[in-house]
Amino acid sequence: MSTETPVVKVEESDKASDADRPQPIVDLDLFGVGTHYKRGRLYSEDFSVVDPDCVVTPVIDTQLANTHLEMLCELNIFTPTHAVRNTGIICTIGPSCQDVDTLEKLIRSGMCIARLNFSHGTHQYHAQSIASIREAVSRVPDKCVAIALDIQGLKIRTGLLKGGGNAEVELFTGNILDLSIDEKYMEIGDEHCVYVDYPSIVECMNIGDSVYIDDGLMSAKVVEKGPTHVRTVIQNGGLLGSRKGINLPGKLINLPAMSEKDKEDFKFGCEQGVDMIFASFVRKAADIEEMRKELGEEGKDILIVSKIENEEGMRNFDEILRASDGIMVARGDLGIEIPVEKVFLAQKMMVSRCNRAGKPVIVATQMLESMVYKPRPTRAEASDVANAVLDGADCVMLSGETAKGKYPVEVVNLMHKVCLEAEAAMFHRVVFEEIRRLTPKPTNTATTAAIAAVDASFQQNAAAIVTLTTTGRTAFILAKYRPRCPIIAVTRDPRTARICHLHRSIHPVVYADPLDVNDWTNDMERRFAAAIAKGKRDGYIRKGSTIVVLSGWKPGPTNTNTIRICQVEY
C-alpha cells in the first residue's frame, strides 16, 4: 500500500471544450478542492480530466447534488448498483429453512443474523437449529452469522378452547363474547366465553373500550363488566384458536418484565452461546435492568435489543434506548396498540433517535409478507423495505417469510436487491453532516478520529474504511456517521465479528493468526492486508482503490487516533 497519489496523464482528446465546461459543485467538494463535475467525468481547475479512467457512475453522481431535491431528481433506475450491501438482513429460522443446505443458501444470499423465535418450539428444537446454523456457517468461507434469541415475553393471551390446542371457534359480528378471569374456563373456552390470563383486565377496562384479539384480526367493544369477566360485543369476527394474543390499546399493563419461561430461555441462551436477545414487550428501562440481572455473569456479553410493541414503550422510548444495546421497531403489535396511521411516524421517530444516539435499529414485521406463499412481493412491500433503509435502519428483518414460507431463499435474495437500490438512493453526505452537527462537543479522541475518517472517505471517494478492533467500539462509532462505503472491521474475536452485523456498513473479518507481540507494526499491516483481500473478493476493492485506514498508535483498546489514506497497488 502507498499513500502517494499517482499522476495521471491526460490526452488532448480528454480536454474539455469551452461549451462543455462543467459548473463547479457548491459545498459538496466530494473529490477535492477545485474539482468540477459533468457527465460522469471529473475535471481540474483548468478543465482537464482529472482521471481519464475514472468514469463516475450515476450512483456517485447523485451524491454531488446541492440539495436533497436535486439528488432525488438525479436518481436513475438504469444505474447499476454498488457491489456490496451495507444493511443487515435478519432471518427467522423455522421449518422452511432449518436444514443445513437451506441455511447455507440463506447465508450466501445475504443473511447475517439468524433469529430464533421462542414463542414457538422447544429447547431441543432450537438447539438443533443452532447446531445447523453453525454447520452452515462453517461451509461458507469469510462469513460469520450472529444468533439472536427472541423471547416470548409476557403478553395477555386467551386460554385453551374445548378440543385442545388445535381447536377453533368462529366469532360472528354482533355476538356476545365474555372475557373471563375465572380459571374454571382456562381450558374450556368456546364462542361465548374464553379465559384471559390477565387478572387486572376487569379493573382497567371501561364501557366502550376496544379489545383486539389475535394480533388485531378480530375486535370487540366492552359493553358490561362483572366481578370476574368483561362482556364484549364482537365488532369484527373471525376464527379464534387457543392461546391467542389480546391487546388493550391505551392501557398501562401491569405485568413483570419476564415470565418463568423467559428465564429458562435466558439460561438456555447462555448455555448455547447466543450473541443477542430480542426482548419482547419492553415497557420501561427497568425491564432491561431486570433482564441483565437475570443473565448474570454468564450472559454479561449478550446484547439486549428492546422490541417496542406498545404505547407504554413509546412513551418511555428515550429511557429504553439508553438502557438497551439496540432497538427493534416491532410493527405487528405496535400497529394494534397505536392507531395504524401513526405507525410510520413511530418508525421514523425511533429510527432517527437511534441514529442520533449511534445505536443499531431494526425494522421488522410484514416486510415481504406476501412471499410466504408467493414468489414475488407486492410493490408496496418492496417500497416498505426500501423506505426502512432510507429512514436509516441498520437491519431489516424477515419473520414468517423465511420461517414458514415457500420461498425462503428467494425472499432473502429479493430483500438484498431492494436494500442495494435503497442505499444507492441515500444522500449519504447530508446524513453524515447532520449526525456530526448533532454530536455533543467536545468529542473524545476515538469519536474525533472516526468523524475525520468518514469525512475523508467522502472527500477521497474511498472504496472502504478499514479499522482494527478488539471490542467493536471503533467500528460502531464509524457506523454511526453513516459512510457511503463499507467499513471493514478486522478482529481476532469471533463474537465481536458477529455482533458487528447489527450495525449498518460494518463487514467483519475474523483474523485467526495469533498476535505477534514482538512486531506489532507488521502484525497490524498483515491485518490490513486481510481486510483488503476481503474487499477484493467481495468486488468493491481493486487495484487503484483508495482506502481510509483508522487505527491506534499502540496495541490495545482506547488508543485509536491515527488516520491513513492509502491506495491499493496490487
Side-chain angles (χ1 to χ4, degrees):
M1 293 187 296
S2 170
T3 58
E4 296 181 2
T5 302
V7 177
V8 179
K9 293 182 179 180
V10 181
E11 303 293 337
E12 281 299 319
S13 60
D14 286 320
K15 296 283 187 179
S17 66
D18 289 341
D20 201 37
R21 287 186 176 186
Q23 297 300 310
I25 300 299
V26 181
D27 295 330
L28 278 174
D29 189 23
L30 186 62
F31 292 96
V33 176
T35 303
H36 305 259
Y37 160 79
K38 189 173 182 181
R39 297 182 185 176
R41 307 303 288 273
L42 299 178
Y43 300 83
S44 65
E45 284 289 359
D46 64 353
F47 296 103
S48 60
V49 177
V50 172
D51 183 351
D53 296 321
C54 174
V55 177
V56 184
T57 68
V59 174
I60 308 296
D61 294 354
T62 61
Q63 301 302 311
L64 295 167
N66 291 310
T67 67
H68 189 215
L69 178 60
E70 183 183 354
M71 186 276 296
L72 294 174
C73 291
E74 292 300 320
L75 294 177
N76 186 341
I77 65 168
F78 302 106
T79 302
T81 55
H82 197 260
V84 64
R85 187 194 77 248
N86 286 329
T87 306
I89 295 178
I90 303 173
C91 298
T92 303
I93 308 306
S96 293
C97 64
Q98 195 196 22
D99 64 283
V100 177
D101 290 340
T102 304
L103 286 168
E104 181 185 347
K105 292 176 184 177
L106 294 185
I107 294 168
R108 294 186 184 278
S109 298
M111 177 180 76
C112 51
I113 299 175
R115 169 184 176 250
L116 305 175
N117 186 358
F118 275 64
S119 294
H120 309 283
T122 63
H123 284 181
Q124 182 181 0
Y125 176 85
H126 291 302
Q128 180 57 52
S129 295
I130 291 171
S132 297
I133 292 164
R134 288 174 175 159
E135 183 179 343
V137 171
S138 70
R139 297 182 180 183
V140 185
D142 295 339
K143 296 288 186 182
C144 58
V145 173
I147 296 176
L149 187 160
D150 194 326
I151 63 171
Q152 178 174 305
L154 276 167
K155 183 176 184 177
I156 304 172
R157 295 183 182 275
T158 62
L160 290 173
L161 300 176
K162 291 176 183 175
N166 295 321
E168 290 184 329
V169 296
E170 186 163 5
L171 304 181
F172 292 97
T173 301
N175 283 6
I176 297 293
L177 177 68
D178 287 345
L179 306 177
S180 176
I181 59 174
D182 190 335
E183 293 185 359
K184 74 179 182 182
Y185 295 105
M186 189 180 291
E187 298 180 357
I188 58 168
D190 57 24
E191 64 272 26
H192 305 297
C193 179
V194 293
Y195 173 76
V196 175
D197 63 1
Y198 182 50
S200 300
I201 190 170
V202 176
E203 299 172 24
C204 74
M205 297 302 288
N206 298 313
I207 306 300
D209 285 345
S210 294
V211 178
Y212 291 94
I213 307 168
D214 194 6
D215 293 332
L217 295 178
M218 291 159 279
S219 64
K221 183 168 286 190
V222 177
V223 294
E224 183 183 320
K225 291 171 61 174
T228 60
H229 74 276
V230 171
R231 178 157 292 175
T232 68
V233 173
I234 302 298
Q235 302 289 302
N236 292 292
L239 286 175
L240 174 67
S242 296
R243 302 290 298 156
K244 295 302 180 181
I246 296 283
N247 292 91
L248 311 175
K251 303 298 180 181
L252 294 179
I253 306 301
N254 184 23
L255 288 173
M258 296 173 290
S259 65
E260 290 304 313
K261 178 185 182 305
D262 295 333
K263 293 177 181 179
E264 289 298 316
D265 293 341
F266 275 24
K267 182 179 178 182
F268 172 82
C270 291
E271 293 169 352
Q272 292 289 327
V274 302
D275 301 294
M276 59 196 74
I277 285 173
F278 294 165
S280 299
F281 305 107
V282 174
R283 294 179 171 85
K284 52 190 179 298
D287 295 347
I288 303 300
E289 294 164 9
E290 188 177 339
M291 291 178 193
R292 292 200 193 280
K293 289 179 182 177
E294 186 65 31
L295 287 170
E297 184 65 21
E298 189 179 0
K300 62 180 173 51
D301 293 328
I302 296 176
L303 304 184
I304 298 180
V305 176
S306 296
K307 296 168 66 176
I308 306 301
E309 305 183 74
N310 48 56
E311 186 176 324
E312 189 176 355
M314 288 292 303
R315 292 185 184 279
N316 297 326
F317 181 77
D318 288 335
E319 69 172 56
I320 293 171
L321 177 60
R322 285 191 294 270
S324 305
D325 297 304
I327 294 292
M328 182 189 292
V329 184
R331 303 177 301 179
D333 281 277
L334 185 63
I336 304 167
E337 293 281 334
I338 67 173
V340 69
E341 65 272 17
K342 293 185 180 292
V343 172
F344 86 98
L345 291 174
Q347 174 176 315
K348 288 180 181 294
M349 179 276 286
M350 287 189 276
V351 170
S352 298
R353 292 191 189 182
C354 288
N355 289 171
R356 183 177 62 186
K359 291 196 176 182
V361 57
I362 303 162
V363 174
T365 316
Q366 296 180 330
M367 302 216 79
L368 297 171
E369 182 78 5
S370 61
M371 287 191 74
V372 171
Y373 302 108
K374 297 180 180 179
R376 286 172 59 85
T378 67
R379 284 62 171 168
E381 287 170 340
S383 295
D384 179 42
V385 174
N387 281 315
V389 175
L390 292 171
D391 283 346
D394 291 83
C395 299
V396 286
M397 193 177 92
L398 296 166
S399 299
E401 299 96 329
T402 53
K404 64 179 182 179
K406 294 182 177 179
Y407 307 96
V409 178
E410 290 84 354
V411 73
V412 177
N413 279 323
L414 186 94
M415 182 168 268
H416 166 81
K417 293 176 184 177
V418 174
C419 290
L420 276 176
E421 296 288 352
E423 288 167 15
M426 288 188 67
F427 205 172
H428 293 88
R429 180 75 196 212
V430 170
V431 174
F432 163 67
E433 293 290 356
E434 289 180 350
I435 296 175
R436 175 165 67 172
R437 210 172 294 134
L438 290 170
T439 301
K441 308 294 189 298
T443 57
N444 60 39
T445 302
T447 299
T448 303
I451 291 172
V454 174
D455 194 16
S457 75
F458 285 110
Q459 298 289 345
Q460 294 284 320
N461 190 29
I465 300 171
V466 176
T467 187
L468 311 181
T469 184
T470 302
T471 63
R473 178 173 173 267
T474 302
F476 301 160
I477 298 172
L478 284 166
K480 172 183 176 178
Y481 292 95
R482 292 298 193 257
R484 182 186 59 82
C485 63
I487 301 164
I488 306 177
V490 185
T491 180
R492 284 187 163 91
D493 186 345
R495 180 192 165 275
T496 295
R498 294 193 297 270
I499 64 174
C500 280
H501 284 309
L502 263 182
H503 297 258
R504 185 188 281 197
S505 298
I506 302 180
H507 298 259
V509 174
V510 179
Y511 187 74
D513 291 354
L515 174 65
D516 186 349
V517 294
N518 298 316
D519 195 349
W520 176 73
T521 302
N522 282 336
D523 181 81
M524 182 173 64
E525 292 299 327
R526 286 194 294 270
R527 284 181 281 166
F528 288 149
I532 291 170
K534 175 181 172 54
K536 283 186 170 184
R537 287 191 297 271
D538 291 347
Y540 55 89
I541 293 178
R542 51 187 175 272
K543 183 179 178 181
S545 295
T546 300
I547 308 296
V548 177
V549 178
L550 181 61
S551 61
W553 66 282
K554 65 178 182 179
T558 74
N559 295 316
T560 302
N561 65 353
T562 304
I563 299 170
R564 290 189 288 165
I565 298 173
C566 311
Q567 282 196 329
V568 179
E569 292 186 338
Y570 52 88

